[in-house]
């Protein structure tokens, strides 16, 4: 990972090394791939990537967000749909769908992605506890309860505390994030100034998204 090798290659290589050296047996090495939670998260990641490639999320975000007058309104318009999606679908799938769209929107509007990605991760983690199927953490806890013959969680047993915590987190993130992440606002302003000067000299700025795939 230090040398920027693909994370999946590092994980498989390290697991294979530990297995061949006898530090872990085959069941410990590869048993996790038979876990329902791991398979569910993997499947949702594939679904999220497919939806992202269709361009539907980009169009939806452009309609919902539009051109907000300030950063707080932009955060509100982005955080609420992400929280709803995390609570009703899956925070893993929603995050996989939203990241490219948010990156494109930030590039066009001149905002730094750090102003949104870090707060979104928190609000989606909290909102994802609404239902058992909303996050892998709940699925792991449910699997452990069943494995140890304990009463499983109801599908929406955590809904009330999750909604209350999500509301508090939403207000907190909108108020505090611009202060804590203020240095990224300064970078965005500098970038806008540079972009403005380049446009005055007859240059144009173009935004494009490039996807690299390893073979």
């Amino acid at each position: 990972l230090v040398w920027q090798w693909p994370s999946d290659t590092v994980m498989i290589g390290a697991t294979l090394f530990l297995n061949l050296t006898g530090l872990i047996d085959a069941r410990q090495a590869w048993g996790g791939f038979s876990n329902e939670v791991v398979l569910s998260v993997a499947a949702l990641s594939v679904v999220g990537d497919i939806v992202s490639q269709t361009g539907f999320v980009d169009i939806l975000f452009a309609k919902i967000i539009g051109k907000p007058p300030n950063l707080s309104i932009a955060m509100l318009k982005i955080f609420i749909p992400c929280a709803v999606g995390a609570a009703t679908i899956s925070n893993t799938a929603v995050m996989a769908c939203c990241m490219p769209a948010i990156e494109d929107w930030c590039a066009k509007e001149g905002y730094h992605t750090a102003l949104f990605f870090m707060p979104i991760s928190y609000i989606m983690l909290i909102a994802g506890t609404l239902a058992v199927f909303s996050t892998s953490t709940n699925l792991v806890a449910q699997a452990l309860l069943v494995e140890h013959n304990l009463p499983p969680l109801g599908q929406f047993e955590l809904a009330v505390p999750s909604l209350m915590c999500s509301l508090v987190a939403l207000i907190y993130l909108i108020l505090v994030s611009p202060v804590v992440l203020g240095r990224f606002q300064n970078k965005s302003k500098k970038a806008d100034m540079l972009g403005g000067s380049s446009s005055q000299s007859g240059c144009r700025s173009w935004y494009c998204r490039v996807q690299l795939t390893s073979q």
Side-chain angles (χ1 to χ4, degrees):
L1 294 177
V2 174
W3 289 285
Q4 300 298 313
W5 292 355
S7 57
D8 52 350
T9 303
V10 174
M11 184 196 71
I12 296 296
T15 304
L16 185 61
F17 173 79
L18 294 174
N19 187 16
L20 292 176
T21 54
L23 296 176
I24 57 176
D25 56 27
R27 182 176 181 181
Q28 292 174 324
W30 315 112
F33 291 101
S34 63
N35 189 288
E36 295 179 356
V37 176
V38 176
L39 296 176
S40 300
V41 173
L44 289 172
S45 299
V46 174
V47 172
D49 186 66
I50 293 173
V51 174
S52 177
Q53 294 298 327
T54 62
F56 171 76
V57 179
D58 297 333
I59 299 173
L60 183 62
F61 256 78
K63 294 293 184 181
I64 294 176
I65 303 173
K67 292 186 176 294
N70 53 58
L71 179 61
S72 298
I73 300 299
M75 287 183 169
L76 186 66
K77 288 187 174 183
I78 292 177
F79 292 172
I80 291 179
C82 288
V84 172
T88 56
I89 305 174
S90 168
N91 58 359
T92 304
V94 172
M95 194 64 181
C97 294
C98 293
M99 283 184 64
I102 295 174
E103 286 179 343
D104 289 348
W105 182 85
C106 288
K108 293 176 183 177
E109 298 298 326
Y111 289 108
H112 199 287
T113 54
L115 295 170
F116 299 95
F117 281 166
M118 182 65 73
I120 284 174
S121 66
Y122 293 129
I123 191 66
M124 291 183 70
L125 282 173
I126 297 173
T129 59
L130 180 82
V132 173
F133 56 82
S134 298
T135 179
S136 58
T137 306
N138 288 359
L139 293 173
V140 170
Q142 185 81 313
L144 290 174
L145 290 173
V146 174
E147 182 180 350
H148 292 83
N149 297 320
L150 296 174
L153 294 171
Q155 284 294 340
F156 298 97
E157 186 172 339
L158 303 175
V160 175
S162 175
L163 288 173
M164 295 176 62
C165 292
S166 297
L167 180 60
V168 173
L170 180 65
I171 297 173
Y172 176 82
L173 290 172
I174 291 176
L175 295 177
V176 177
S177 295
V179 178
V180 177
L181 302 175
R183 62 187 183 277
F184 295 106
Q185 293 191 67
N186 297 331
K187 291 181 180 179
S188 300
K189 291 179 181 178
K190 290 180 180 178
D192 290 340
M193 293 177 61
L194 293 175
S197 61
S198 62
S199 61
Q200 293 176 359
S201 62
C203 299
R204 284 188 174 184
S205 299
W206 299 91
Y207 300 99
C208 64
R209 182 171 60 189
V210 179
Q211 183 176 3
L212 301 177
T213 57
S214 58
Q215 296 182 353

